[in-house]
Amino acid sequence: MADSEIETAKLASLYVGDLHSDVTDDLLYKAFSEFKSLIFVRVCKDSATGKSLCYGYVNFTSHQEAIRAIELKNHSLLNGKVIRVMWSSRDADARRSGRGNVFVKNLAESIDNVGLHDLFHKYGNILSSKIEMSEDGKSKGFGYIQFDSEESANDAIQKLNGSTVRDKKIYVGKFIRKSERSYPVPDAKDTNLYVKNLDPDITEAHLKEKFSSFGKISSLAIAKYGNGMSKGFAFVNYNHPDDAGRAMEAMNGSQFGSKNLYVARAQKKVEREQILHHLFVEKCKEQNLKYKGSNIYVKNIDDSVSDEELRVQFSACGTILSAKIMRDDKGISKGFGFVCFSTLDEAVKSVNSFNGCMFHGKPLYVAFAQKKEVRKRLLQLKHAQKLEGLTGPSSAVIRGAPHPLIYAATGVVYHPLGSGLSANGSAAPSKAFQQSPASTISINGKQHGIDMRGMNDNTNSKESGQVNYVASGCQQEIEDKAGTSSVMQVLDLQKTKVSGQDVLHSNSIAAKVAVI
């Protein structure tokens, strides 16, 4: 294909969104097969699960046919779902900026994607229009319009915001991402109160009588189910914020009926979610700091093992704060779990004691738990090193011998097989360095012993153990002849020069560690 044709094909790439999860490449190709210049289709899938991400791309050699495909296929049905077809934008910054994106709410239930498009098309070129739908296919009453320019979006906002469409006054404004939205800070002007812990037999008349002593109430309502039964909470709105403040101060915690009332300022759902998310994040940070390094990851657990059995198995190593096996929605074990100890020493002891041991007929894998983002970075680094074919001390994979490594606590330098100098400048041994059964290392200022036996005695076998070393923060996996794995986590890994060559060193190491 000529360069000009390739450039044309690039320009004629369309994005297809809102696909049914069952739509495959073949089905998408058939949906667009009437266009003769169609050359390629792809439904995007999750790299981990292989499930459809419900969007894809179709590519044409003819720019004109791509335009016709948008006109004919946009808002058409495919596998029972209305799809969106628009030009594919390769400018990630433009997509994230939200330029030309408009948010519309308070729409009539009868307005669909096509109706929304027809309502806004006279204000400029529309790239995409979408009404948010519930699981049963009904409109949620809001949607989005994407214009090709900010000027068109502003014009639509100015002309349509506050207008009446199908007997409903609609709101039209600039789209703001959830992470960028700001919510009102509680102040003295709030007049609406949220009241919960109401007895089922409490009526609105009873509630009004109780709260009217603080000031004039403009509205009051108890939330109810479809059958008229109380949900146990209500809203009381005063005319003046001072009255609401006095009522909240006096009634919060007071007894009304058989329960103590909870009275607070009424909040919007998004505001409550923001507060709860903040509290959750803070609690997670506090827990991570409190139990840093003492949380253990255990996998290859038999499906029949319970949380209590896991706790009993590891209780010999120290005080266990929590032991939990992860399960799916049906309660079936996922084969892994976590054990949190009260101290780092206990966690180190459990890794040394139970990694590779048989439990319910299966060898356990025990290692220090890592955050998801840490694991992701390590895997990305490891994958990048494999692709680039990196060599040298920071990424070598050496069968039958440990990686060049210096421990600050002992001053011992390990070399790969065959070459290199030790710290004192003498030649490296021709065979793998035979470390003593236990060397002393320092973890968080405490002295521990590290068991290096079995790490370098398989050099004569084709299936001998191997050491995979990943720089910056990493994990060393050691496999012996029997296939049993153990894990070394190296923290604060750095590279320095010793006798003219690069070596890796760390002041904080944990691997097959026994407390001394």
Side-chain angles (χ1 to χ4, degrees):
M1 184 181 289
D3 290 343
S4 60
E5 291 177 330
I6 292 174
E7 184 64 25
T8 301
K10 287 182 179 178
L11 292 174
S13 180
L14 302 183
Y15 167 85
V16 185
D18 297 340
L19 292 173
H20 191 283
S21 58
D22 293 336
V23 172
T24 61
D25 290 348
D26 290 340
L27 192 56
L28 187 61
Y29 187 90
K30 289 177 182 178
F32 286 83
S33 60
E34 63 190 85
F35 305 101
K36 303 303 180 185
S37 64
L38 178 67
I39 57 170
F40 175 74
V41 304
R42 178 166 65 93
V43 174
C44 295
K45 297 179 180 179
D46 187 285
S47 58
T49 63
K51 293 182 178 180
S52 170
L53 295 174
C54 299
Y55 70 88
Y57 298 91
V58 293
N59 295 285
F60 301 85
T61 56
S62 168
H63 192 75
Q64 293 301 318
E65 280 214 317
I67 295 174
R68 199 160 64 89
I70 294 176
E71 293 172 351
L72 295 178
K73 296 298 181 179
N74 191 27
H75 305 312
S76 64
L77 280 173
L78 181 59
N79 254 31
K81 282 194 71 176
V82 177
I83 63 173
R84 287 183 300 128
V85 183
M86 58 186 287
W87 291 109
S88 171
S89 173
R90 299 187 181 277
D91 187 349
D93 291 334
R95 293 198 305 269
R96 285 193 288 264
S97 70
R99 185 175 64 248
N101 206 354
V102 175
F103 172 67
V104 191
K105 70 177 180 178
N106 205 31
L107 292 167
E109 192 174 318
S110 59
I111 296 179
D112 56 11
N113 290 341
V114 176
L116 188 65
H117 184 280
D118 293 342
L119 181 62
F120 282 84
H121 81 278
K122 57 185 173 184
Y123 299 103
N125 185 32
I126 294 176
L127 301 177
S128 173
S129 61
K130 179 181 180 180
I131 294 285
E132 285 292 334
M133 299 288 187
S134 60
E135 293 181 358
D136 57 1
K138 293 182 179 179
S139 169
K140 289 185 176 181
F142 67 90
Y144 309 92
I145 294 287
Q146 178 77 54
F147 287 97
D148 64 350
S149 70
E150 191 71 14
E151 292 75 16
S152 299
N154 291 335
D155 188 32
I157 292 171
Q158 185 178 359
K159 300 287 179 57
L160 287 178
N161 185 35
S163 62
T164 302
V165 179
R166 300 190 188 180
D167 299 326
K168 295 193 75 173
K169 188 176 181 179
I170 64 172
Y171 167 85
V172 183
K174 292 189 68 173
F175 169 74
I176 303 173
R177 293 182 179 276
K178 195 171 184 178
S179 58
E180 300 170 357
R181 296 172 197 167
S182 59
Y183 304 106
V185 178
D187 56 29
K189 295 181 180 179
D190 292 310
T191 60
N192 199 13
L193 298 181
Y194 169 70
V195 184
K196 73 172 183 178
N197 292 343
L198 297 175
D199 285 335
D201 58 348
I202 296 292
T203 65
E204 292 180 353
H206 293 147
L207 199 62
K208 188 170 185 178
E209 182 182 353
K210 189 74 174 178
F211 279 81
S212 60
S213 59
F214 301 100
K216 188 175 181 180
I217 296 174
S218 59
S219 64
L220 182 150
I222 293 177
K224 298 178 181 179
Y225 294 104
N227 59 6
M229 293 291 292
S230 170
K231 289 185 177 181
F233 66 91
F235 296 93
V236 180
N237 193 24
Y238 286 90
N239 282 349
H240 300 288
D242 293 340
D243 298 338
R246 287 196 301 271
M248 181 170 61
E249 186 176 346
M251 296 301 295
N252 185 37
S254 66
Q255 187 168 355
F256 186 42
S258 63
K259 299 178 182 179
N260 291 330
L261 293 180
Y262 171 85
V263 183
R265 184 182 66 87
Q267 298 171 320
K268 292 183 178 180
K269 182 180 179 181
V270 288
E271 190 179 350
R272 294 196 307 273
E273 288 176 347
Q274 189 182 48
I275 293 171
L276 290 172
H277 176 72
H278 176 73
L279 293 174
F280 175 75
V281 170
E282 290 300 317
K283 186 176 181 180
C284 286
K285 287 180 180 178
E286 182 183 343
Q287 293 292 323
N288 288 337
L289 288 174
K290 187 176 181 179
Y291 303 115
K292 186 176 182 181
S294 61
N295 198 22
I296 299 302
Y297 169 71
V298 186
K299 74 173 181 179
N300 205 30
I301 302 173
D302 188 78
D303 293 347
S304 63
V305 176
S306 65
D307 291 352
E308 185 58 31
E309 287 177 292
L310 186 66
R311 177 186 287 271
V312 171
Q313 174 72 3
F314 281 82
S315 60
C317 297
T319 304
I320 294 176
L321 301 178
S322 66
K324 184 174 181 63
I325 293 174
M326 306 309 293
R327 303 181 183 276
D328 61 20
D329 296 336
K330 298 180 181 179
I332 300 173
S333 170
K334 292 184 177 181
F336 69 91
F338 299 90
V339 180
C340 186
F341 288 90
S342 60
T343 66
L344 174 63
D345 289 343
E346 295 170 347
V348 167
K349 184 178 178 182
S350 71
V351 172
N352 188 53
S353 302
F354 289 108
N355 185 46
C357 82
M358 300 299 291
F359 183 50
H360 281 247
K362 299 178 74 174
L364 292 179
Y365 171 91
V366 184
F368 289 92
Q370 294 174 320
K371 290 183 178 180
K372 186 177 181 180
E373 55 268 23
V374 174
R375 293 198 308 273
K376 186 176 181 180
R377 285 199 300 268
L378 295 179
L379 290 172
Q380 287 174 341
L381 179 59
K382 191 172 182 179
H383 181 64
Q385 289 173 339
K386 286 182 179 179
L387 290 178
E388 295 173 9
L390 296 179
T391 59
S394 64
S395 59
V397 178
I398 306 167
R399 287 193 176 275
H403 193 278
L405 179 67
I406 179 170
Y407 294 109
T410 62
V412 178
V413 182
Y414 296 100
H415 296 274
L417 290 176
S419 64
L421 296 176
S422 64
N424 59 11
S426 60
S430 59
K431 298 183 72 175
F433 182 83
Q434 298 296 321
Q435 169 65 0
S436 60
S439 293
T440 303
I441 64 172
S442 176
I443 301 178
N444 293 344
K446 297 182 181 180
Q447 297 297 315
H448 302 277
I450 178 164
D451 187 355
M452 302 298 294
R453 290 174 294 186
M455 290 178 62
N456 51 5
D457 54 2
N458 298 323
T459 56
N460 296 325
S461 171
K462 185 176 180 181
E463 299 300 325
S464 61
Q466 71 177 26
V467 179
N468 297 323
Y469 227 95
V470 184
S472 298
C474 22
Q475 180 171 305
Q476 185 180 29
E477 294 185 0
I478 307 162
E479 295 184 354
D480 60 19
K481 292 180 181 179
T484 303
S485 296
S486 60
V487 170
M488 175 180 286
Q489 290 188 323
V490 182
L491 308 176
D492 303 323
L493 198 61
Q494 299 176 0
K495 187 184 287 185
T496 61
K497 293 282 185 180
V498 176
S499 301
Q501 76 171 31
D502 287 340
V503 296
L504 300 174
H505 69 89
S506 173
N507 291 329
S508 180
I509 303 175
K512 294 198 76 178
V513 179
V515 178
I516 292 179

